[in-house]
Amino acid sequence: MEIKVAENIGFCWGVKRAVEITFQALRDSKSKLYSLGRVIHNPQMTAELSELGLVIVKDMSGVKKGRFLVRSHGISPLLLSDLSSRGIEIVDATCPFVKRTQSLIRELRGLGYRIIIAGEKEHPEVKGLVGCADNEAVVINSADDAGISGLDASQKWAVVAQSTQSQKEFQEIVSKLVERNFLELRILFTICQETLKRETSAQDLARTCDLVLIIGGFDSANTRRLKEIAESSGRNSYHIEHADQVECRWFDGIGSAGVISGTSTPRWVVDEVIKRIKEDTSYLLIGGGNK
């Protein structure tokens, strides 16, 4: 069996940066380091950081002192201000690409625009973006969202995207918005380039392989989208978090298998999955991701 590994696997630059900042903060060990939810959507890395002392909480209301890690997703400016006013030290690991979108939203608000965010309402990045719009942004998850028809077309609107939003979904949402004939509609393409590269890789693997294996956290938005892309081709596609979830029967009669990962999946997790496939199949490993 031939194994094709995507060119872009392992951490994206923003996630790698956030993890490095977290490790450094834990090494400093001046005081407890808190995170509002998991730093990244990866169970192995979450476990490792917790073992090193990162305290993951659901809210910060009961925390009186210590340090707070802003995840790569970013957070609401209001929460950031509240924590700072309480004397809690901020360790900012927000992805620069997400921070740029936050700045754009604040700038657009200052120019009188109302904000539309194409993304998942409950995703932590989107919650932070909504906060940058004074909690008045409208979140649209898909082109079929009923909220589109309820927007006041007589006002100025600007639309941005969650950094991991599907390009196809974003284009469909924008097309629906354009049909409304707004007084003014500004469209800012804020999808991360790394997300686009991985979507393209998923399409290529689905087109050339009999099976596609997607590695990443089950709650990772960008990883789930890679699975959707691979599935839409009609290929057998499997989303796993670690090597122990690989099932040999998937590869029976398969001539080629593609391997790709989400942006928050460590490279070593991908390597373990490839090793498991090697152990259980007769293979030929090719592709840019095996360097």
Side-chain angles (χ1 to χ4, degrees):
M1 183 185 72
E2 179 183 60
I3 303 174
K4 295 182 180 181
V5 184
E7 184 71 29
N8 301 97
I9 57 173
F11 287 153
C12 68
W13 178 79
V15 169
K16 181 180 179 182
R17 174 181 175 275
V19 170
E20 289 174 348
I21 289 173
T22 306
F23 275 123
Q24 184 59 54
L26 289 169
R27 281 194 292 268
D28 291 344
S29 64
K30 294 183 296 184
S31 58
K32 280 188 177 181
L33 182 66
Y34 295 88
S35 169
L36 192 59
R38 300 196 295 173
V39 176
I40 60 173
H41 295 304
N42 177 264
Q44 297 95 332
M45 186 57 64
T46 297
E48 182 176 352
L49 293 174
S50 295
E51 288 174 5
L52 291 173
L54 180 65
V55 182
I56 300 173
V57 296
K58 292 183 178 180
D59 68 74
M60 290 289 290
S61 59
V63 178
K64 305 302 181 184
K65 61 180 179 178
R67 296 172 296 160
F68 177 74
L69 177 76
V70 181
R71 300 179 294 173
S72 59
H73 302 304
I75 61 170
S76 164
L78 186 62
L79 175 57
L80 196 61
S81 176
D82 173 63
L83 293 172
S84 296
S85 68
R86 287 158 49 192
I88 294 175
E89 180 184 343
I90 304 299
V91 180
D92 192 356
T94 306
C95 172
F97 198 87
V98 173
K99 189 166 285 190
R100 174 177 171 271
T101 304
Q102 292 177 338
S103 296
L104 285 171
I105 288 175
R106 287 191 288 266
E107 180 182 335
L108 289 162
R109 287 283 293 174
L111 294 172
Y113 288 90
R114 297 195 64 187
I115 306 299
I116 299 168
I117 302 170
E120 301 174 18
K121 191 172 185 178
E122 296 304 313
H123 192 280
E125 178 189 332
V126 173
K127 289 182 177 181
L129 296 179
V130 170
C132 290
D134 305 313
N135 294 318
E136 294 182 0
V138 176
V139 180
I140 302 294
N141 187 50
S142 71
D144 296 326
D145 196 314
I148 293 177
S149 60
L151 301 176
D152 185 351
S154 67
Q155 296 184 330
K156 299 196 306 181
W157 292 87
V159 56
V160 300
Q162 178 181 331
S163 63
T164 55
Q165 173 75 329
S166 160
Q167 181 177 12
K168 179 176 178 291
E169 194 71 68
F170 183 65
Q171 291 170 335
E172 291 176 352
I173 289 172
V174 168
S175 293
K176 283 286 186 179
L177 291 170
V178 169
E179 292 175 3
R180 292 294 319 283
N181 295 320
F182 289 100
L183 171 67
E184 185 176 342
L185 179 66
R186 290 190 63 176
I187 300 164
L188 296 93
F189 192 86
T190 57
I191 298 175
C192 174
Q193 291 299 311
E194 184 66 24
T195 297
L196 298 177
K197 290 177 183 177
R198 299 203 187 206
E199 287 188 2
T200 299
S201 292
Q203 292 167 352
D204 291 343
L205 290 176
R207 187 169 54 249
T208 59
C209 298
D210 301 315
L211 174 150
V212 181
L213 200 59
I214 302 97
I215 309 166
F218 292 139
D219 57 352
S220 165
N222 74 88
T223 306
R224 291 198 306 269
R225 289 199 177 91
L226 295 179
K227 172 72 157 55
E228 292 168 0
I229 289 170
E231 274 187 332
S232 67
S233 69
R235 300 294 187 191
N236 291 329
S237 305
Y238 301 96
H239 179 180
I240 62 172
E241 288 188 327
H242 52 77
D244 290 343
Q245 293 169 337
V246 173
E247 297 186 27
C248 298
R249 62 181 179 82
W250 294 343
F251 306 97
D252 289 344
I254 295 297
S256 59
V259 175
I260 191 169
S261 80
T263 57
S264 56
T265 304
R267 174 61 196 256
W268 64 265
V269 173
V270 178
D271 291 339
E272 285 190 348
V273 170
I274 293 172
K275 181 181 178 183
R276 175 61 60 87
I277 298 173
K278 289 180 181 180
E279 291 172 347
D280 298 331
T281 64
S282 175
Y283 73 94
L284 171 64
L285 183 63
I286 67 170
N290 63 327
K291 295 176 181 177

